[in-house]
């Protein structure tokens, strides 16, 4: 059975996130592409302020996109508490430049009572090149 949160997120498919409770997500300006329980896909346009001195997407921004997308994925389960990142590991494979469109796809690998393990792949727009891959463990908090 689909949660009301998943149903709500599906209404935003194809639209840029602008009213997230996360100011950081609003700054990233993702467009929601896919919503399923335990999986989301977002599209981002790399802006100049997201780049490093070489003109490519900053590794820290890539890691932040991965972390933010994975945290948002937990909304699909409809839980009334927040989860926070315990660890984050990112492998970088290729660069993106300002103006490029990239896609981040998340997938919950294991959902325990306290810990959730999530993976995230970051692709170029046509998904022919894997730019980065990350995984994380998030822990349930008592924060509602």
């Amino acid at each position: 059975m689909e949660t009301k949160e998943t149903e709500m997120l599906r209404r935003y498919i194809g639209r840029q996130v602008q009213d997230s409770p996360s100011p950081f997500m609003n700054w990233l300006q993702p467009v929601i592409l896919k919503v399923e329980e335990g999986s989301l896909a977002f599209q981002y346009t790399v802006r100049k302020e997201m780049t490093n001195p070489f003109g490519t997407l900053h590794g820290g921004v890539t890691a932040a996109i991965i972390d933010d997308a994975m945290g948002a994925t937990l909304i699909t389960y409809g839980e009334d508490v927040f989860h926070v990142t315990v660890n984050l590991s990112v492998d970088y494979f290729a660069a993106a430049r300002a103006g490029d469109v990239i896609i981040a796809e998340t997938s919950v690998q294991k959902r325990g009572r306290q810990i959730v393990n999530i993976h995230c792949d970051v692709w170029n727009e046509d998904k022919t090149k894997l730019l980065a891959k990350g995984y994380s463990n998030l822990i349930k908090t008592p924060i509602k």
Side-chain angles (χ1 to χ4, degrees):
M1 184 173 159
E2 192 168 90
T3 66
K4 66 179 181 183
E5 289 79 6
T6 301
E7 289 177 25
M8 182 269 305
L9 286 171
R10 279 212 173 106
R11 286 186 247 142
Y12 290 92
I13 290 175
R15 296 182 7 202
Q16 181 179 309
V17 173
Q18 296 177 335
D19 57 356
S20 169
S22 166
F24 188 68
M25 180 174 270
N26 292 330
W27 181 81
L28 288 171
Q29 301 175 2
V31 173
I32 298 176
L33 299 178
K34 178 186 84 170
V35 176
E36 295 174 5
E37 184 178 82
S39 179
L40 294 176
F42 293 102
Q43 175 181 296
Y44 305 82
T45 300
V46 178
R47 303 187 312 272
K48 185 177 181 184
E49 63 268 23
M50 296 173 154
T51 62
N52 59 30
F54 300 109
T56 61
L57 181 62
H58 191 287
V61 175
T62 303
I65 285 171
I66 290 169
D67 187 57
D68 198 58
M70 289 191 292
T73 301
L74 296 181
I75 294 169
T76 66
Y77 289 112
E79 292 188 33
D80 63 349
V81 295
F82 285 100
H83 289 70
V84 295
T85 302
V86 173
N87 65 325
L88 175 65
S89 179
V90 180
D91 295 320
Y92 301 93
F93 304 118
R97 297 195 168 280
D100 287 354
V101 173
I102 62 173
I103 296 170
E105 295 183 323
T106 65
S107 151
V108 169
Q109 302 298 300
K110 182 172 186 332
R111 180 175 172 227
R113 287 184 319 212
Q114 294 296 318
I115 301 280
V116 179
N117 179 267
I118 306 181
H119 291 194
C120 181
D121 293 333
V122 180
W123 297 90
N124 65 341
E125 185 174 18
D126 64 5
K127 293 180 67 179
T128 57
K129 187 183 292 185
L130 183 63
L131 305 178
K133 183 178 208 59
Y135 78 90
S136 181
N137 290 297
L138 293 93
I139 190 167
K140 188 182 284 190
T141 72
I143 301 168
K144 295 198 180 266

